[in-house]
Amino acid sequence: MTKNLFKLFLLVFLFSGIKLQAQQVPTPKSHFGFEIGDDYLLANFTQAEAYFKKVSDASDRVMLTSIGKTEFGRNQPMMIVTAPENFAQLEKYKEISQKLARAEMTREEAEELIKQGKPVVWIDGGLHANEVVGAHQLIQTLYELASSNDEETLKILENVIILLVHANPDGMEIMSDWYMRKEDPTKRDQNIPVLYQKYVGHDNNRDFYMNNMSEATNISLQQYVEWIPQIIYNHHQSGPPGSVVAGPPYRDPFNHVFDPLIITSLDAVGAAMINRMHQEDKPGYTRLDGSVFSTWWNGGLRTTPYYHNQIGILTEIIGNPTPSQVPLVPERLIPNNGTPYPVTPRDWHFKTSIDYSVSLNYAILNHAVRHGDELLRNIYLMGRRSIEKGQKDTWTPYPKYAQAVEDAYEKARDEGKVQASRNWRSGLPREFYEEVYQDQERKDPYGYILSADQPDFPTAIKFLNALIKSGIKVHKATQDFNVNGKSYPAGSYIVKTAQAFRPHVIDMFEPQDHPNDFLYPGGPPIRPYDAAGWTLAFQMGSEIDRIMEDFDGPFEAVPYGEIQTPPAKTLANGSGYLIDVRGNNAFMAVNDLLKAKVKVFRTTDTVDGLPAGSFYVGLAGKVVLQKAAQEYGVYGKPSSKPRELKEISPARIGLYDYYGGSMPSGWVRWMLEQFHFDFKQVFPKEINAGNLNENYDVLLFIGPGIPSVGSRGGGRSQPDESEIDEQYHHMLGNFTAQESVPAVREFIEKGGQVITVGSATELAFHLGLPVKDALVEMNADGEESPLSGEKYYIPGSVLEMHVDNSQPINYGMGSTSYIMFNRSPVFKLTPEASNKGVKAIAWFGEEEPLRSGWAWGQSYLRNGVTAFEAGLGKGKFYAFGPEITFRAQSHGTFKMLFNGLYK
């Protein structure tokens, strides 16, 4: 008996020892060989991922999961961190978070869930891979939470569900490997030759309402469909010069669709963060007007949450593995409300930035511990109020409505209907408020219908999928129905505003009304953090009916997060088929046909109700078209062969890029792949070598990389060939007026075609075409100079232009088109332009063109040319001033590019 008891005790002891050993969380130094934050040292993602797995295996506080694949095919990790006992009810906590966010319950039911639930806090890192603090603080934070047994950490683990998410695994691998490649640490740099996201680099934080990139989709599905955290903390760099870190609360303006609890919750979390910094004697936190960041724009990892009633937190911190200094900025030395505790000039090390970041994480997590019930309650209240707003007449308080009140009063006063107010501050008669805020034409819609019988229904579905990835509730009609006297077919989609994420719905469908924001009256404009207007429904060019009264029908809800596809149909029998050019996916089908060696033709006039530029294929294309009807929503229309046709073939496409990578070019690279165009990237060296016609029929220049006339060259600083791997040598070089422009001119004159977009239209001036900049004025010396910001300023906004859709480059377009205009070029043709083969193909009219955003000085756009075509020798040159490929969002203008990619 004694012997058996001894054996039992021995087994228990051995088992306990094994468990204790398993629970010993490996330190970062034991895995990486250095402390996180050591000077001149970075971990790459392969190493980080292995560490995440080690910690997850060793700790019962951590569960490692993958939220999807990156664009390069890596797993995108998310670590769920909480107390061991919470994992048994993890699905319950997730369900409670979802239910409270969607707010489809009574207050009493919500309060019961609040008692049972736990706040969910998202902390990420690494989105912008050159901002290396982010990914590395994530490693250190994981270790602290997994290994620490202090009272603060244990309380956090007990009361909070923490999601630690790596936002850009591919970028960390690229950036860290590049930085660490040199043995001499003092010579290490971050000047990578390619973008740190496969296609779009820094613009990976501009994709969170469109969700084009895999990483954005992975993140959005977790944030808006799966976990729906109450707080989302997005780490970035760098702080403004003379500070250490910029954080909440942020400067005005904030978007008018928000619930006020968003702004006051930002104040609360921001207070917790800055207080923690000051408690720990960490100076240099700046907020409000101490930084450029606002809460206006939708589309960033931390800004799109606002439109979902979540508290989005951004910090921008200084620091780099290469030691640096806090610079001396005199005005930053004065304490004020923006920076209560200024930092003084000093040497700065990477480890200090890591320490700051971990403290900021703990500040937020402690806020969640202390105010967990409030966080859960507030997301419910905001969602519930959103639903109720969608169930009644509601007017969003746009600046234009406040102006309309003033205008109505001024008009009544001028007409003698009211006496002039002696004291403006005493207010105006209430009737003027009611005149505007009870105007049925100005109220918000109750919902939107996207009819299944519109010409480009697949693009409308892509728009809906962007909403679905963002957690929006969408309905689909199960049978034909009628609303306001208009009939809609089964399969049409409906988006109602009576839902918790109503702010996002309104923001995606309705115009943004950015206030006039100037440094002082009559002074220069204050630049928005990103765009001022972006209405996705406008950019995508879909046909959408705004429904202004409550409505219903045979609608069924699409399950949250369920991606939609165009209806699969069987191709009808015919001897040949017409393909409607108005559908963007037509180009996918055409490219498949051409790759299958099927002859493809374009019409030159309207045929069978389809506009000029539509495609025709014979019976040989039936197999390919059957696939298109099943997968692309492209339904070939049986037709006999039209008389007037032009055969097309695929052009050999060259897409301009440069060392370090162009984001606008990267977006187009992704677009071309999506629509099945073959292409090659072209770099300055190849252009400068000449003989471009041997390899290309069309060259695309999208956005930056073309020097202005009179400058020496373009592009950023580049290394010597000896410092980089041979695989990157072809990327080096600059586009110059001396070498590159003559090569491009020769290419066009020999029959090549060049398409330029945005700032790349500067090529027109290099080529000496008969066009001028329309946005100039004569200065005192009789010379042209750009209009000042006090007179003219249009940041990223949606405008409307007129289109000559009889031109082949514009086939499939309407007579007008919404465009993304981002301080874009506008032209005027000189008197000799028509004689030299230059003609306008799109332009502004007499009317003001702003449709969403902010435009100051619209009169300067009157009759300005937005796009033109120029003949040069045997070839053609096209200039599109607006961003017709903007971040792969502006589907409504994609055809203006695609039409030019055939011979």
Side-chain angles (χ1 to χ4, degrees):
M1 181 72 176
T2 305
K3 192 173 182 180
N4 288 336
L5 280 173
F6 174 78
K7 286 182 177 179
L8 179 62
F9 283 127
L10 181 63
L11 285 171
V12 170
F13 175 80
L14 289 172
F15 178 78
S16 300
I18 292 170
K19 188 171 184 181
L20 285 171
Q21 188 176 10
Q23 290 298 313
Q24 187 66 44
V25 177
T27 66
K29 187 170 184 177
S30 71
H31 176 78
F32 297 104
F34 57 86
E35 299 283 0
I36 297 300
D38 281 355
D39 289 343
Y40 299 110
L41 294 170
L42 290 179
N44 67 18
F45 178 72
T46 299
Q47 296 166 330
E49 184 180 38
Y51 183 69
F52 296 158
K53 187 174 188 308
K54 277 186 181 179
V55 173
S56 179
D57 288 345
S59 173
D60 55 5
R61 303 174 182 179
V62 180
M63 178 189 294
L64 174 63
T65 64
S66 173
I67 61 174
K69 296 290 186 179
T70 68
E71 287 292 349
F72 277 120
R74 291 182 174 89
N75 283 317
Q76 186 165 8
M78 178 171 76
M79 286 74 72
I80 304 172
V81 185
T82 193
E85 60 270 21
N86 289 339
F87 281 102
Q89 299 190 81
L90 202 61
E91 286 303 312
K92 172 187 172 182
Y93 295 133
K94 179 196 279 191
E95 185 180 5
I96 288 172
S97 188
Q98 291 173 355
K99 286 182 174 180
L100 290 172
R102 291 170 184 155
E104 296 168 339
M105 67 190 80
T106 66
R107 177 68 181 267
E108 291 72 24
E109 292 169 329
E111 289 295 337
E112 186 57 38
L113 289 179
I114 290 165
K115 293 176 186 176
Q116 301 175 37
K118 293 187 185 296
V120 182
V121 176
W122 168 292
I123 299 173
D124 64 51
L127 183 65
H128 288 159
N130 60 332
E131 301 167 7
V132 293
V133 172
H136 287 75
Q137 63 79 27
L138 200 67
I139 296 169
Q140 188 66 33
T141 299
L142 174 65
Y143 173 69
E144 300 292 345
L145 291 170
S147 65
S148 299
N149 290 306
D150 58 277
E151 183 180 353
E152 179 184 36
T153 299
L154 294 177
K155 190 173 290 187
I156 288 170
L157 293 168
E158 179 187 352
N159 291 285
V160 184
I161 308 297
I162 308 159
L163 308 178
L164 300 180
V165 183
H166 200 301
N168 183 9
D170 297 341
M172 186 181 186
E173 193 83 358
I174 293 167
M175 183 60 68
S176 296
D177 284 352
W178 184 265
Y179 181 83
M180 296 295 294
R181 79 192 192 284
K182 293 181 179 178
E183 289 188 14
D184 184 346
T186 64
K187 293 183 178 179
R188 289 173 181 166
D189 66 80
Q190 294 178 276
N191 298 324
I192 55 175
V194 296
L195 295 167
Y196 53 67
Q197 192 274 352
K198 184 177 181 180
Y199 297 102
V200 303
H202 196 85
D203 267 2
N204 65 353
N205 198 27
R206 305 295 183 270
D207 192 36
F208 285 98
Y209 61 70
M210 190 69 209
N211 295 302
N212 278 320
M213 296 295 108
S214 297
E215 297 89 348
T217 295
N218 297 340
I219 289 170
S220 289
L221 288 174
Q222 294 301 316
Q223 290 185 344
Y224 312 127
V225 178
E226 294 292 332
W227 276 100
I228 320 184
Q230 291 79 50
I231 299 178
I232 292 172
Y233 183 10
N234 182 215
H235 283 263
H236 279 273
Q237 290 183 261
S238 184
S243 73
V244 173
V245 59
Y250 309 104
R251 70 173 180 88
D252 283 337
F254 64 82
N255 201 291
H256 310 107
V257 300
F258 295 161
D259 189 288
L261 272 171
I262 285 294
I263 302 305
T264 52
S265 296
L266 278 169
D267 291 341
V269 178
M273 295 169 74
I274 195 170
N275 282 342
R276 177 110 181 187
M277 293 294 95
H278 295 172
Q279 289 162 4
E280 297 180 356
D281 198 28
K282 290 182 168 72
Y285 186 110
T286 190
R287 58 186 184 165
L288 300 169
D289 58 0
S291 75
V292 300
F293 306 105
S294 72
T295 51
W296 172 260
W297 171 69
N298 196 341
L301 197 159
R302 68 94 187 176
T303 60
T304 301
Y306 302 142
Y307 299 81
H308 295 75
N309 305 319
Q310 297 160 300
I311 306 166
I313 301 296
L314 164 78
T315 54
E316 299 264 350
I317 196 167
I318 65 172
N320 192 276
T322 301
S324 58
Q325 292 185 335
V326 176
L328 174 60
V329 181
E331 59 267 30
R332 288 276 181 187
L333 298 175
I334 306 168
N336 57 29
N337 196 38
T339 312
Y341 184 13
V343 65
T344 55
R346 62 188 67 185
D347 294 336
W348 196 265
H349 294 274
F350 195 35
K351 183 65 167 64
T352 313
S353 296
I354 300 297
D355 292 343
Y356 264 68
S357 298
V358 173
S359 286
L360 290 165
N361 289 339
Y362 265 71
I364 288 175
L365 294 172
N366 265 309
H367 178 83
V369 170
R370 296 189 180 101
H371 303 280
D373 59 339
E374 185 177 288
L375 291 170
L376 295 172
R377 183 175 296 108
N378 285 353
I379 200 169
Y380 166 77
L381 289 174
M382 289 186 277
R384 192 66 221 163
R385 290 201 287 243
S386 290
I387 292 171
E388 291 167 358
K389 283 182 178 180
Q391 294 171 334
K392 63 183 180 182
D393 288 356
T394 303
W395 287 260
T396 296
Y398 297 120
K400 61 186 176 184
Y401 293 169
Q403 185 61 51
V405 170
E406 290 189 29
D407 292 344
Y409 170 75
E410 295 289 347
K411 181 182 178 183
R413 187 189 64 183
D414 293 344
E415 293 174 352
K417 295 180 179 178
V418 295
Q419 291 184 345
S421 175
R422 293 183 179 180
N423 183 359
W424 179 270
R425 292 185 179 180
S426 66
L428 304 181
R430 182 173 171 178
E431 64 193 75
F432 295 104
Y433 171 84
E434 295 168 348
E435 180 179 332
V436 173
Y437 285 91
Q438 292 183 10
D439 181 355
Q440 294 296 298
E441 296 298 318
R442 289 186 167 105
K443 71 181 182 182
D444 297 336
Y446 280 72
Y448 307 88
I449 300 175
L450 291 82
S451 181
D453 60 4
Q454 59 185 283
D456 193 4
F457 192 46
T459 294
I461 290 176
K462 291 175 186 178
F463 169 60
L464 287 162
N465 282 336
L467 301 180
I468 288 168
K469 291 175 185 178
S470 293
I472 298 304
K473 177 184 280 189
V474 172
H475 288 82
K476 187 175 183 179
T478 57
Q479 61 191 63
D480 296 353
F481 66 100
N482 186 289
V483 172
N484 294 339
K486 181 175 178 177
S487 297
Y488 298 91
S492 298
Y493 287 92
I494 300 92
V495 181
K496 291 192 173 186
T497 60
Q499 57 180 294
F501 300 159
R502 180 181 186 273
H504 193 70
V505 174
I506 295 293
D507 196 66
M508 291 294 97
F509 283 93
E510 296 294 313
Q512 285 77 48
D513 182 22
H514 193 286
N516 291 323
D517 191 14
F518 294 94
L519 193 60
Y520 51 84
I526 298 174
R527 181 178 177 179
Y529 169 63
D530 194 86
W534 50 85
T535 308
L536 188 58
F538 294 177
Q539 287 194 66
M540 296 195 71
S542 298
E543 295 181 4
I544 299 169
D545 290 334
R546 301 167 76 242
I547 309 302
M548 305 305 292
E549 302 294 338
D550 197 13
F551 67 106
D552 213 337
F555 310 148
E556 65 176 8
V558 174
Y560 284 109
E562 184 177 283
I563 300 303
Q564 301 299 287
T565 57
K569 295 184 179 180
T570 301
L571 187 69
N573 291 323
S575 58
Y577 298 90
L578 285 168
I579 305 171
D580 191 343
V581 67
R582 292 174 294 178
N584 284 352
N585 282 7
F587 293 91
M588 296 169 63
V590 166
N591 290 332
D592 288 356
L593 288 161
L594 291 171
K595 290 174 184 178
K597 307 301 182 185
V598 175
K599 287 188 175 183
V600 180
F601 304 85
R602 299 197 82 164
T603 63
T604 57
D605 206 346
T606 301
V607 177
D608 289 350
L610 301 187
S614 293
F615 302 93
Y616 175 82
V617 295
L619 190 58
K622 187 171 183 178
V623 172
V624 174
L625 283 183
Q626 180 59 56
K627 178 184 177 183
Q630 287 286 317
E631 299 179 12
Y632 307 159
V634 176
Y635 314 121
K637 183 177 183 180
S639 173
S640 57
K641 188 173 184 178
R643 292 182 180 179
E644 297 293 328
L645 292 172
K646 180 181 178 182
E647 186 174 356
I648 62 170
S649 60
R652 297 170 301 165
I653 302 166
L655 175 62
Y656 176 65
D657 211 331
Y658 46 77
Y659 185 88
S662 161
M663 291 180 287
S665 179
W667 281 115
V668 171
R669 180 157 43 95
W670 181 82
M671 284 169 50
L672 294 177
E673 290 179 9
Q674 298 302 302
F675 286 90
H676 305 180
F677 286 97
D678 290 332
F679 66 96
K680 286 176 58 181
Q681 287 178 281
V682 184
F683 294 87
K685 273 189 178 180
E686 186 176 359
I687 290 174
N688 296 343
N691 298 316
L692 293 165
N693 303 81
E694 291 184 6
N695 297 309
Y696 304 102
D697 302 305
V698 179
L699 292 177
L700 308 180
F701 294 90
I702 313 294
I706 307 299
S708 59
V709 171
S711 66
R712 292 185 177 182
R716 48 185 212 175
S717 61
Q718 298 180 4
D720 187 86
E721 279 191 356
S722 62
E723 296 180 359
I724 63 174
D725 193 277
E726 187 177 355
Q727 65 177 311
Y728 303 120
H729 288 183
H730 71 286
M731 299 178 178
L732 295 171
N734 285 316
F735 189 103
T736 66
Q738 293 75 25
E739 291 185 278
S740 313
V741 171
V744 172
R745 180 187 292 277
E746 179 187 47
F747 170 73
I748 301 172
E749 289 177 342
K750 288 184 176 180
Q753 186 162 287
V754 166
I755 300 175
T756 61
V757 177
S759 61
T761 57
E762 184 74 12
L763 259 176
F765 301 112
H766 282 289
L767 295 170
L769 297 177
V771 297
K772 289 187 175 183
D773 185 348
L775 302 176
V776 295
E777 62 182 350
M778 302 301 291
N779 61 25
D781 298 325
E783 298 175 343
E784 288 186 343
S785 61
L787 291 166
S788 68
E790 289 87 345
K791 293 181 178 180
Y792 169 83
Y793 183 69
I794 305 180
S797 296
V798 181
L799 277 58
E800 188 172 18
M801 67 180 182
H802 297 270
V803 177
D804 182 354
N805 56 15
S806 68
Q807 298 300 315
I809 197 76
N810 291 335
Y811 278 159
M813 298 292 295
S815 59
T816 63
S817 176
Y818 294 116
I819 51 169
M820 195 67 196
F821 191 93
N822 186 20
R823 292 175 288 166
S824 303
V826 180
F827 309 94
K828 58 182 177 182
L829 307 187
T830 64
E832 66 271 19
S834 60
N835 293 331
K836 293 188 175 182
V838 178
K839 58 186 175 185
I841 55 176
W843 59 91
F844 293 124
E846 292 284 338
E847 70 282 2
E848 292 189 339
L850 178 65
R851 298 296 176 265
S852 178
W854 181 22
W856 184 256
Q858 293 186 69
S859 61
Y860 290 102
L861 298 177
R862 190 171 295 129
N863 299 319
V865 173
T866 53
F868 64 86
E869 171 190 298
L872 199 62
K874 296 179 181 178
K876 286 185 177 178
F877 175 90
Y878 290 97
F880 292 95
E883 305 287 339
I884 62 170
T885 58
F886 181 73
R887 296 174 181 166
Q889 297 172 11
S890 52
H891 288 246
T893 48
F894 283 3
K895 287 184 279 289
M896 292 176 146
L897 176 69
F898 294 164
N899 281 321
L901 304 183
Y902 302 103
K903 294 190 292 183

